Amino acid sequence: MHAGTGGRIAAVVLSIVAATVMAAAWTGRGETQKDEPKPLQSASRETGDATRKERRNKPWPTRSPKPVSNELSLTSEGGPKAVNITIDDGPHPQFTPQMLDVLEEYGARATFCVVGTQARRHPELVKRIVAEGHRLCNHSDSHDSTMDRKSKSYQEKEVLDAARTILKASGGVPATYYRAPGGAFTPYSRKLAAHHGMRPLGWNVDPRDWDLPGVDAIVRTVKSQLANGPTVLLHDGGGERAQSVEALRRLLPWLKKHGYSFGFPAR
C-alpha cells in the first residue's frame, strides 16, 4: 500500500467517524428535547391554578353542632313575657339595615331568617346581624315554598347549601334555626335541620305584612294575636318592606310599655 493511498484511506475513515459522532450527538440532542420535562415554573403555575379552582369549588363546610329537637319551636327562651321577633327573607340592602337600626334603638334582639341567595349577595349584612347580637335562621337556599313537594335530595340541597352559605357569610357563625319558606316543612326536612343543629322554627303571630295591608293593620294584628304565643313573623326581604319597618318601630315601644321583653325562640 502506497503512503499516499494510506493517507487518503485514513482521511476517509476519520470523516466517517466524525460524521457518525455528529449524527449521534444530533440524534441524542433531539431525544433529550423530546423527553425533557416542562419547566418547573410552568408546571407549578398550572398546579397552583388547579388548586385555587378546587378551593373555590369546594363547598364551605357546615359545623357539626349537637342535634336538637325536630319539633317546631313555638316558645321563647326568655319566659312567659318574652316576645320572639323573627324577620324573614333577607338580608335586603335597604330594609335590613333599617330593621337593625330600629332594633338597636329600642334595645331589642331578633332572629333573622336568612335566604341563601340573599346571604351570598350581602354577606356584610349577615355579619352585621351577628355583630349586633341577633341570631341567624336558615330560610332555605332559594326560598322555594313548594319544596315540601320535592324530593328528599332537593330538600337536602336547599337546607344544607343555605347552611354553608350562612356560615361563610357570617364569618363562621352557624344558623341555629331552620324555617321552611311558606311553612313548607316536611318530616324529612325537620329531621335533617335538627340533625345539623338547626331547630325547626314556627310562628304564633302572622300579620301578613308581606301582603302590604298597611302599617296600622300590621300593628293591630300583632297586638291581637300575641295571646297565641310569643313568636312574631315579620319580613325584611322579598319585596317592599317599608310598612314592616314602620310597624316594628311602633310595636317595640308598645311591647316594652306593656311589660314584654325580647327573647329568642327555644332551641
Side-chain angles (χ1 to χ4, degrees):
M1 183 179 294
H2 297 289
T5 303
R8 286 195 297 273
I9 292 173
V12 171
V13 171
L14 288 174
S15 299
I16 294 171
V17 170
T20 303
V21 170
M22 291 179 65
W26 179 260
T27 303
R29 184 163 64 247
E31 290 174 351
T32 301
Q33 289 177 338
K34 182 178 178 181
D35 296 335
E36 191 175 87
K38 294 180 179 179
L40 290 176
Q41 184 178 1
S42 175
S44 176
R45 183 167 59 249
E46 290 177 0
T47 303
D49 289 343
T51 301
R52 283 191 291 274
K53 183 177 180 181
E54 181 182 355
R55 189 182 301 119
R56 285 196 302 270
N57 293 336
K58 184 178 181 181
W60 190 269
T62 55
R63 295 284 181 88
S64 298
K66 294 180 180 179
V68 293
S69 171
N70 62 25
E71 296 298 319
L72 284 181
S73 176
L74 295 168
T75 60
S76 179
E77 293 179 350
K81 285 288 280 186
V83 172
N84 306 322
I85 303 295
T86 64
I87 302 173
D88 286 19
D89 294 358
H92 187 282
Q94 179 180 353
F95 300 112
T96 302
Q98 294 178 22
M99 288 281 197
L100 288 167
D101 290 345
V102 173
L103 290 164
E104 186 64 25
E105 180 180 353
Y106 292 100
R109 296 294 175 263
T111 300
F112 284 79
C113 297
V114 173
V115 178
T117 53
Q118 290 299 105
R120 283 192 286 276
R121 293 188 184 106
H122 308 290
E124 74 286 352
L125 292 178
V126 181
K127 290 181 176 67
R128 181 180 169 186
I129 289 168
V130 171
E132 295 186 8
H134 309 288
R135 287 188 185 175
L136 296 171
C137 170
N138 178 335
H139 201 34
S140 82
D141 197 58
S142 67
H143 199 273
D144 181 356
S145 59
T146 68
M147 61 183 290
D148 57 335
R149 300 195 292 273
K150 304 290 180 63
S151 66
K152 288 183 177 180
S153 61
Y154 179 86
Q155 295 176 53
E156 179 177 348
K157 180 174 174 58
E158 281 288 306
V159 174
L160 296 188
D161 280 2
R164 295 185 186 100
T165 294
I166 293 168
L167 184 67
K168 182 177 182 179
S170 69
V173 178
T176 49
Y177 307 93
Y178 166 68
R179 174 177 278 166
F185 289 101
T186 66
Y188 176 75
S189 68
R190 287 192 291 107
K191 289 179 181 178
L192 176 69
H195 178 73
H196 288 272
M198 296 174 285
R199 178 77 184 267
L201 178 58
W203 60 84
N204 312 103
V205 179
D206 182 8
R208 296 174 63 87
D209 61 321
W210 54 269
D211 202 26
L212 306 179
V215 177
D216 290 342
I218 296 170
V219 171
R220 184 169 57 250
T221 300
V222 170
K223 291 179 179 179
S224 66
Q225 290 185 6
L226 273 177
N228 297 340
T231 305
V232 179
L233 173 59
L234 294 171
H235 294 79
D236 64 341
E240 168 61 46
R241 297 293 172 243
Q243 290 184 13
S244 302
V245 174
E246 183 58 31
L248 184 66
R249 194 186 309 277
R250 295 189 196 178
L251 283 166
L252 294 183
W254 182 88
L255 289 166
K256 293 183 75 172
K257 180 180 178 180
H258 287 78
Y260 290 96
S261 60
F262 304 103
F264 293 114
R267 295 193 68 241

